Amino acid sequence: MRHFEFPPNIMTEIERDRFCHVDPAVQRRMEVLWLKAHGETHQKIAELAAVSRATVQRILDAYEAGSLAAVRTFRWKTPVSALTPHRPLLEEEFAARPPHTVGEACERIEQLTGVRRGPTRVREFLRDTMDFHWRKVAAMPVPPKLTPGEHAAHQADFLKDGA
């Protein structure tokens, strides 16, 4: 078992981050360091913090390598879509001529970029990355003896005076 020294200023930060850090994963890591600072064994720390012994070792290795900054950082890898580099081109194209269906969007994306994606991935890309949303289109109900322009004027008068 390795021996770690925790200076008072580090202990103050550990005690604060155990409960006040915004990320619960960092709180758990600080709990491991706090237990280690109080002389608990690695097995006991794993039981009390509800983590594995390997996780205790990784947290202590991170602390040893880079102090609290290393314990607070995560190296998660987020996947990047193959369509992301083509985003400006697609935004320009779809702003000029919006696709009517996801299938049409798939075909046009493949023609423009050479990247083939299924409907689900294209729908997610358009909605989440490009902030495009599908619009529900329906017929405007018009009384039989009015034109759409007359009906719109009648509705505007009603909203102005009757509402």
Side-chain angles (χ1 to χ4, degrees):
M1 183 167 43
R2 296 179 288 178
H3 181 72
F4 288 90
E5 292 293 328
F6 295 94
N9 61 339
I10 297 289
M11 279 304 294
T12 305
E13 289 185 47
I14 290 172
E15 289 171 1
R16 183 192 65 227
D17 285 350
R18 272 178 66 211
F19 300 108
C20 298
H21 198 276
V22 295
D23 190 351
V26 173
Q27 290 179 2
R28 179 170 285 167
R29 287 178 173 192
M30 293 300 168
E31 180 73 17
V32 168
L33 293 178
W34 187 80
L35 291 168
K36 182 65 179 175
H38 285 82
E40 295 294 339
T41 65
H42 293 187
Q43 182 64 36
K44 188 69 171 174
I45 293 171
E47 291 172 13
L48 293 173
V51 296
S52 68
R53 285 197 60 201
T55 301
V56 172
Q57 291 290 345
R58 280 193 297 272
I59 293 169
L60 293 174
D61 290 342
Y63 176 75
E64 190 174 45
S67 189
L68 290 182
V71 175
R72 290 184 184 121
T73 59
F74 294 91
R75 289 179 175 66
W76 291 323
K77 295 179 182 173
T78 56
V80 177
S81 172
L83 296 174
T84 302
H86 304 287
R87 181 179 175 178
L89 170 70
L90 294 174
E91 283 179 342
E92 181 181 318
E93 174 67 22
F94 289 159
R97 293 183 317 128
H100 294 287
T101 64
V102 175
E104 180 186 343
C106 292
E107 291 173 10
R108 287 175 49 195
I109 286 173
E110 186 175 2
Q111 290 170 355
L112 290 168
T113 65
V115 177
R116 182 182 176 100
R117 291 291 180 261
T120 302
R121 295 293 169 231
V122 168
R123 187 180 298 112
E124 288 174 356
F125 178 77
L126 291 175
R127 182 189 63 225
D128 299 339
T129 305
M130 294 178 55
D131 202 29
F132 277 39
H133 299 282
W134 305 109
R135 304 288 184 223
K136 185 175 182 179
V137 180
M140 184 176 80
V142 177
K145 295 182 180 168
L146 296 177
T147 65
E150 292 170 343
H151 179 64
H154 180 68
Q155 289 295 315
D157 289 341
F158 174 76
L159 289 175
K160 183 172 59 174
D161 299 330

